[in-house]
Amino acid sequence: MKFRFLLWAMGLLMARASRNNPAFQQQLKGKDLVFQMQTLDGKVARHFIVSGERISSKGGSYPQPAFAIAFKDAAYGFATMQAGNKQLAFMQGIQDKNIQIKGNPALVMWFQGLMKYLKPKKS
């Protein structure tokens, strides 16, 4: 349940950033794709639609995403996305085969670059 909520909240944050953050919008220029985050068994899945320099998201699987990041289970996905050093957690998960990347790896790198725009601002 926590993983499902995290993906939903991530969709909201990205949708807001795509409306209000010029630097985030710049990263979306020229992109027209759908990507997905899910568990390996597909029980928890959310896809994110990038179109017209905006991002929206919907629950469930998409038939042919440009890329998908699949975590071994929801608890692992939640823990990885909440890790202090997310990049290290992702790399470790991929090496241990607890995270599988399907599709274009270059787009996964692009997505990880987007995530820096979602961090809360330091006061």
Side-chain angles (χ1 to χ4, degrees):
M1 194 61 154
K2 288 195 274 187
F3 184 57
R4 192 181 305 263
F5 178 76
L6 182 70
L7 294 179
W8 173 80
M10 194 171 88
L12 280 182
L13 289 171
M14 285 194 290
R16 182 184 306 144
S18 75
R19 288 190 307 272
N20 305 326
N21 184 330
F24 190 87
Q25 291 167 343
Q26 190 65 35
Q27 298 300 311
L28 302 178
K29 264 199 177 25
K31 297 277 191 254
D32 192 10
L33 58 98
V34 176
F35 65 91
Q36 185 164 290
M37 309 277 284
Q38 66 182 66
T39 54
L40 278 175
D41 63 10
K43 286 185 179 165
V44 178
R46 186 162 199 92
H47 60 278
F48 302 84
I49 302 115
V50 180
S51 179
E53 295 172 29
R54 295 284 187 267
I55 293 186
S56 58
S57 74
K58 292 191 167 120
S61 293
Y62 187 79
Q64 291 292 318
F67 72 88
I69 300 173
F71 299 91
K72 75 174 183 175
D73 58 35
Y76 186 84
F78 183 81
T80 302
M81 293 182 72
Q82 292 296 304
N85 185 341
K86 288 175 188 50
Q87 205 162 17
L88 179 64
F90 262 91
M91 296 311 283
Q92 191 67 51
I94 291 167
Q95 284 178 345
D96 297 343
K97 302 216 183 320
N98 292 325
I99 300 174
Q100 290 182 15
I101 307 292
K102 300 168 183 156
N104 187 335
L107 289 173
V108 175
M109 302 300 272
W110 164 80
F111 166 71
Q112 288 185 313
L114 277 183
M115 293 297 93
K116 71 182 177 196
Y117 294 101
L118 301 184
K119 289 187 170 69
K121 294 205 172 20
K122 304 260 192 289
S123 52

